[in-house]
């Protein structure tokens, strides 16, 4: 046998011998669906053989794997050991190549082997077995390289540090630029930035200024030490140590502001000095930063004594005074060099809010702050406790009204100031803010208002007072106002502050209440006089005229007291009050009570309040607060305030239309019919009013474009309200006389050239279901007691008027039931006369109600009034009445009381 055969046979025998003990392994291998990893080529390793003696092909699904294994087995059986070894290596390479691209049916072991191989390869690429981190793709390493979501989106330390460094550099650069760009202002620059100016509605015509700049600069060595010490102790006790700003104060203010408390500025004296230059416009944190930079620069360039002197030369002390010298003159009438320690402490005490803390305005508050300043001076060892206890609160001189408020314009400027304060402005801000304030006042209407009052007869008494206001009902803007002749001489505004009894202008509220409750304008009411009501209240018409059954419209035209008294009881006095307040009358109006007599005008409103109320009617039931400030602009041009429309519907528009229809009666046929010759046919609605004993006279009326209210009264030397003294030939100072004339002068000229607009015609209200159908009962037997039935009879009393008329009619009517005297129904009786008169036309025939605060007029007319003509005056025109023969339709028109 040749060597090759022996070798072959020996090899085959060894294969058979080795296959016997591994039959179980062969079966397990056959059960595996995929080829196993190649074994190491050792002498004992050989391919498995089948029972026929042929090498067994490895089982698997990979065709490549099967062919490779078969080829390797054939080579092993027919070649020498060296070639077999070479074939095995080739087979291993082929198997490894197949494992690199496994099919979808690759075994688990094969996959694990592949992963291990990959890891081994990756491990060879690292040093010392450590995994190498992914490199950043940009300088800031954002998003973070090598980090998994969401951590890769969190800023890296490199990014955070870089951003902070950039912000610091930018901040330092901005601070350096701001510091170099900031200039230290001269003291003279401060005053120019402190004047606030008020303009008319055109925004160009200057109305006035709030104060003149009164400032006298004193050299540092002429400002007394006592006021320097007081201001340091009170305002900034670290002044001589700090660098112009207080870091501790800034932190404290920042915490306070963040917590939502009132904003603090953490100001040192140096920063307060800077704030005067910026005139209070810098309220933001950026603005405060600018102030801080300027404070730092001022502290570097000026000495502490110079800073303190400039501060005391520019600070506002109130009373129009800037600087300690002018303040010393304004408060004590002396130079600053002569100030005592107590006086110096008081001047320092008012610095935080000069107008509020002025002793003339609030002595108690001023005293408290004065004591606080002295206490701090003691704490700073500027004076001993004994010296402090010896001080007494100093007396101040009376403040002088600013010359810029002189004349009639002063009332307008003061009204602007009051409205700004109501909107949140401070006195100091107004006086030192450098604002441009545009008012709502029309210069031509304002001139017409002043001229109308100046047109009154020259014999008008010195204490006769008139107030007027003209309002645009579509916006609530006040277009004109007359508050008095000179604000400096008389600071009280007769249009906005003076109160007077309303009289018959209050009947309008009962009219509206009746319309709202379903009573139409043609509902009928008892207009006979006198008329008794439950509770003993007896009401008389003017001259005790009987009108019979009259409509609500006729009762308004002729101002019939008895008809309106019955209507007020029917709807309820509280309804009259509620209607008045819903239209805009303040609830706290003096004399505004839910009494039956309130319909006759016992309440005492101001002229501006009644103008605002009637504007609600003119606007179709939409109420708007009357206002006089349109806008406020800062010196840098930014807006500080702009008025916004606050219209609110408070009354149905159709009710307002019908109320306006009724109110056209007085200017057409009633007590204000003289306007027909003045307004040139332009439609007018309104109501006259005269209070008890002629203490006040009114006319409030409107056209579709404008509303004007006019009130006249006469205070005595002690401030009490007197009866109006007749002048200009008039014997009856009623609303149909001079108030109506003033109204006509204002409105006719103000509407000249304007389009003639007309009111809407009467409409039928949906709730008109309260028609009165009254059948009078038989006359009651004579009695001295007041009638008990809730519906008083139409019959007049059996006896003539218990009190003669207070004033004769100036214009008798040919048909009393159609066109009575001025306002024949506006005065119920206040108290019965002791002796009835057979001539009721000579004295008032009115009797009191049971309420002392709402009594009716009782005072008999003067002999001059009683002897005045009653017939020849009615046909006279306005010029003739001014000549001295009586005015309008004459006579009193109501009987309201409740003295101012």
């Amino acid at each position: 046998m040749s060597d090759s055969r022996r070798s072959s046979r020996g090899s085959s025998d060894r294969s058979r011998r080795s296959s016997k003990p591994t039959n179980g392994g062969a079966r397990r291998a056959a059960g595996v669906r995929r080829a196993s990893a190649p074994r190491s080529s050792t002498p004992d390793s050989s391919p498995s053989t089948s029972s026929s003696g042929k090498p067994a092909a490895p089982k698997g699904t990979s065709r490549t794997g099967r062919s490779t294994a078969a080829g390797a087995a054939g080579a092993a059986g027919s070649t020498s050991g060296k070639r077999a070894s070479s074939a095995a290596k080739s087979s291993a390479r082929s198997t490894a190549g197949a494992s690199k691209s496994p099919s979808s049916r690759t075994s688990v072991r094969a996959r694990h082997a592949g992963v291990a191989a990959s890891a081994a390869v990756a491990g060879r690429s690292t040093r010392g077995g450590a995994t190498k981190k992914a490199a950043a793709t940009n300088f800031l390493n954002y998003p973070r390289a090598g980090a998994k979501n969401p951590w890769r989106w969190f800023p890296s330390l490199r990014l955070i540090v870089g951003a902070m460094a950039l912000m610091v550099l930018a901040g330092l650069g901005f601070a350096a630029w701001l510091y170099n760009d900031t200039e230290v202002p001269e003291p003279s620059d401060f005053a120019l930035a402190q004047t606030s100016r008020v303009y008319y509605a055109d925004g160009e015509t200057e109305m006035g200024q709030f104060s003149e700049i009164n400032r006298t600069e004193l050299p540092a060595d002429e400002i007394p030490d006592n006021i320097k010490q007081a201001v340091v102790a009170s305002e900034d006790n670290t002044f001589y140590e700090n660098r112009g700003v207080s870091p501790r104060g800034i932190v404290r203010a920042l915490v306070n502001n963040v917590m939502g408390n009132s904003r603090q500025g953490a100001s040192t004296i140096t920063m307060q000095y800077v704030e005067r230059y910026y005139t209070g416009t810098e309220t933001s944190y950026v603005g405060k930063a600018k102030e801080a930079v300027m404070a730092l620069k001022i502290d570097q360039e000026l000495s502490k004594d110079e800073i303190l002197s400039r501060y005391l030369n520019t600070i506002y002390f109130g009373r129009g005074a800037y600087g300690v010298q002018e303040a010393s003159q304004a408060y004590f009438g002396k130079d600053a060099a002569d100030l005592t320690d107590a006086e110096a402490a008081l001047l320092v005490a008012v610095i935080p809010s000069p107008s509020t803390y002025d002793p003339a305005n609030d002595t108690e508050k001023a005293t408290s702050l004065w004591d606080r300043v002295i206490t701090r001076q003691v704490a700073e060892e500027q004076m001993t406790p004994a010296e402090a206890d010896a001080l007494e609160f100093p007396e101040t001189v009376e403040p002088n009204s600013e010359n810029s408020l002189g004349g009639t314009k002063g009332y307008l400027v003061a009204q602007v100031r009051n409205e700004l304060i109501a909107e949140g402005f401070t006195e100091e801000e107004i006086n030192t803010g450098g604002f441009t304030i545009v008012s709502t006042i029309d210069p031509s209407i304002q001139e017409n208002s002043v001229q109308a009052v100046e047109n009154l007869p020259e014999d008008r008494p010195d204490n006769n007072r008139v107030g007027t206001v003209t309002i645009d009902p579509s916006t609530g803007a006040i277009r004109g106002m007359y508050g008095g002749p000179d604000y400096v001489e008389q600071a009280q505004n007769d249009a906005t502050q003076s109160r007077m009894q309303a009289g018959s202008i209050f009947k309008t509220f009962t009219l509206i209440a009746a319309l709202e409750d379903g009573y139409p304008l043609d509902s009928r009411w008892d207009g006979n006089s006198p008329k008794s009501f439950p509770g003993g209240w007896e009401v008389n018409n003017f001259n005790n005229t009987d009108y019979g059954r009259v409509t609500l419209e006729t009762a308004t035209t002729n101002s019939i007291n008895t008809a309106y008294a019955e209507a007020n009881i029917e709807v309820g006095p509280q309804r009259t009050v509620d209607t008045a307040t819903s239209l805009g009358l303040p609830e706290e109006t003096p004399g505004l009570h839910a009494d039956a007599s309130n319909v006759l005008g016992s309440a005492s409103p101001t002229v501006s309040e009644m103008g605002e109320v009637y504007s609600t009617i003119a606007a179709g039931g939409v109420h708007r607060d009357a206002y006089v400030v349109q806008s406020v602009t800062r010196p840098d041009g930014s807006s500080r305030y702009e008025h916004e429309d606050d219209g609110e519907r408070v009354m149905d528009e159709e009710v307002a239309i019908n109320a306006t229809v009724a109110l056209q009666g007085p200017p057409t046929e009633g007590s204000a019919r003289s306007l027909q010759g003045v307004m040139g046919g332009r439609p007018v609605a309104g109501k006259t009013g005269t209070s008890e004993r002629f203490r006040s006279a009114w006319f409030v009326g409107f056209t579709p474009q404008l509303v004007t209210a006019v009130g006249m009264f006469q205070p005595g030397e002690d401030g009490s309200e007197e009866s109006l003294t007749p002048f200009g030939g008039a014997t009856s100072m009623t609303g149909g006389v001079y108030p109506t004339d003033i109204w006509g002068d204002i409105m006719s000229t103000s509407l000249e050239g304007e389009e003639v607009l007309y009111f809407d015609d009467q409409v039928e209200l949906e709730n008109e279901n309260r028609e009165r159908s009254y059948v009078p009962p038989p006359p009651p037997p004579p009695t001295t007691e007041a009638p008990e039935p809730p519906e008083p009879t139409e019959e007049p009393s059996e006896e003539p008027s218990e009190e003669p008329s207070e004033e004769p009619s100036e214009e008798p009517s040919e048909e009393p039931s159609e066109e009575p005297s001025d306002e024949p129904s506006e005065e119920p009786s206040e108290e019965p006369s002791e002796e009835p008169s057979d001539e009721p036309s000579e004295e008032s025939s009115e009797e009191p109600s049971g309420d002392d605060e709402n009594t009716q007029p009782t005072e008999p007319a003067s002999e001059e009034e009683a002897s005045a003509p009653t017939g020849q005056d009615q046909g006279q025109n306005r010029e003739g009445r001014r000549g001295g023969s009586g005015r309008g339709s004459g006579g009193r028109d109501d009987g309201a009381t409740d003295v101012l």
Side-chain angles (χ1 to χ4, degrees), residues 688-690 696-699 733-741 822-823 891 893:
T688 56
T690 308
S696 61
W698 292 78
F699 182 69
M733 301 302 295
T734 66
V737 188
Y738 291 117
T740 298
D741 283 353
D822 185 13
E823 292 191 34
D893 51 5

Side-chain angles (χ1 to χ4, degrees), residues 63-91:
R63 184 177 303 168
T64 305
R66 287 196 299 270
S67 61
T68 303
S78 58
T79 60
S80 64
K82 183 177 180 179
R83 295 187 60 175
S85 176
S86 178
K89 292 181 179 180
S90 177
S91 175

Side-chain angles (χ1 to χ4, degrees), residues 157-290:
L157 181 61
R158 183 187 304 176
L159 177 62
I160 295 174
V161 172
M164 293 180 63
L166 186 63
M167 292 175 62
V168 170
L169 291 175
L172 291 175
F174 176 77
W177 172 82
L178 188 62
Y179 187 88
N180 292 327
D181 189 65
T182 301
E183 296 182 0
V184 176
E186 294 296 327
S188 59
D189 297 334
F190 285 70
L192 298 177
Q194 292 172 339
T195 302
S196 293
R197 289 176 168 79
V198 184
Y199 294 86
Y200 287 97
D202 57 14
E204 298 178 355
T205 306
E206 183 173 332
M207 179 187 297
Q209 303 173 9
F210 282 113
S211 62
E212 295 178 351
I213 304 301
N214 298 320
R215 183 168 60 82
T216 301
E217 292 186 34
L218 294 177
D221 57 353
E222 293 185 17
I223 299 178
D225 290 336
N226 56 4
I227 194 167
K228 289 182 179 180
Q229 293 173 353
V231 76
V232 169
S234 177
E235 297 297 310
D236 182 10
N237 61 357
T238 66
F239 171 71
Y240 289 103
E241 289 79 29
N242 64 52
R243 295 297 182 183
V245 296
S246 172
R248 183 175 60 182
I250 292 174
V251 173
R252 182 183 66 251
L254 180 62
V255 172
N256 179 81
N257 298 342
V258 170
M259 294 180 64
N261 299 324
S262 59
R263 175 159 293 196
Q264 296 181 359
S267 296
T268 62
I269 284 179
T270 309
M271 290 191 69
Q272 290 184 43
Y273 171 67
V274 172
E275 286 176 356
R276 266 60 192 176
Y277 175 75
Y278 282 112
T279 64
T281 60
E282 300 295 348
T283 58
S284 64
Y285 290 113
V286 174
K288 290 299 180 183
K290 292 170 59 179

Side-chain angles (χ1 to χ4, degrees), residues 8 142 186 203 218 235 282 378 398 404 419 442 455 556 570 639 708 711 715 810 846:
S8 176
Y142 190 82
E186 294 296 327
L218 294 177
E235 297 297 310
E282 300 295 348
V378 173
E398 288 294 324
S404 61
E419 190 166 302
D442 185 298
N455 286 341
T556 305
E570 186 73 17
S639 175
T708 294
E810 289 185 66
E846 296 167 335

Side-chain angles (χ1 to χ4, degrees), residues 515-810:
L515 293 173
E516 291 179 335
D517 287 357
Y519 293 101
L521 288 178
D522 59 359
S523 60
R524 294 191 171 272
W525 308 83
D526 187 358
N528 288 323
S529 176
K531 188 173 180 62
S532 296
F533 295 93
W537 182 37
E538 183 168 311
V539 180
N540 302 82
N541 294 330
F542 178 73
N543 284 340
N544 218 30
T545 303
D546 287 332
Y547 292 90
R549 302 290 296 170
V550 295
T551 65
L552 191 58
E553 185 174 2
T554 300
T556 305
T557 298
N558 296 325
S559 196
I560 302 175
N561 289 342
T562 55
Y564 259 102
E566 183 181 29
N568 194 37
I569 292 176
E570 186 73 17
V571 301
Q574 185 62 50
R575 285 283 292 114
T576 296
V577 172
D578 293 342
T579 300
T581 55
S582 68
L583 297 183
L585 189 68
E587 295 181 358
E588 63 274 13
T589 301
L592 184 60
H593 306 300
D595 301 320
S597 59
N598 62 15
V599 65
L600 302 177
S602 57
S604 298
T606 65
V607 170
S608 62
E609 289 170 353
M610 293 308 295
E612 181 178 315
V613 167
Y614 273 69
S615 292
T616 304
I617 305 172
V622 177
H623 173 260
R624 294 179 176 87
D625 291 334
Y627 69 99
V628 74
V629 178
Q630 186 62 49
S631 65
V632 180
T633 305
R634 296 187 179 97
D636 62 0
S638 62
S639 175
R640 173 65 174 83
Y641 169 81
E642 185 78 27
H643 176 79
E644 296 181 359
D645 187 11
D646 58 354
E648 178 187 5
R649 177 162 295 283
V650 297
M651 180 174 58
D652 186 80
E653 183 177 9
E654 293 185 342
V655 172
I657 290 173
N658 283 3
T660 302
V661 169
L663 290 173
Q664 292 177 62
T668 305
E669 304 174 12
S671 55
R673 60 183 175 274
S674 61
L675 293 174
Q676 290 297 301
V678 177
M679 299 300 293
R682 189 182 292 270
V684 176
K687 189 73 184 70
T688 56
T690 308
S691 67
E692 178 199 22
R693 298 173 188 149
F694 300 96
R695 288 174 174 168
S696 61
W698 292 78
F699 182 69
V700 186
F702 56 92
T703 67
Q705 295 103 318
L706 293 175
V707 176
T708 294
V710 180
M712 179 182 289
F713 71 106
Q714 182 173 313
E717 293 182 359
D718 59 354
S720 61
E721 192 177 9
E722 298 180 343
S723 298
L724 291 167
T725 301
F727 62 90
T731 57
S732 303
M733 301 302 295
T734 66
V737 188
Y738 291 117
T740 298
D741 283 353
I742 295 172
W743 191 98
D745 284 349
I746 295 173
M747 295 290 278
S748 62
T749 53
S750 298
L751 292 171
E752 187 174 353
E754 296 291 331
E755 180 184 1
V756 177
L757 301 179
Y758 296 89
F759 296 114
D760 293 330
D761 294 332
Q762 179 180 347
V763 297
E764 182 177 351
L765 303 179
E766 295 181 359
N767 64 340
E768 290 182 357
N769 55 6
R770 303 291 296 274
E771 180 67 31
R772 287 182 57 86
S773 56
Y774 177 75
V775 177
T783 178
T784 58
E785 297 179 359
E788 293 297 332
E791 296 291 340
T793 66
E794 294 181 341
E795 300 295 331
S797 62
E798 294 182 357
E799 297 181 357
S801 168
E802 293 183 8
E803 186 174 353
S805 66
E806 191 170 274
E807 183 179 26
S809 168
E810 289 185 66

Side-chain angles (χ1 to χ4, degrees), residues 43-67:
D44 295 333
S45 299
S46 63
S48 299
T49 59
S50 65
S51 58
S52 59
K54 295 180 180 181
K59 294 183 178 180
T61 58
S62 173
R63 184 177 303 168
T64 305
R66 287 196 299 270
S67 61

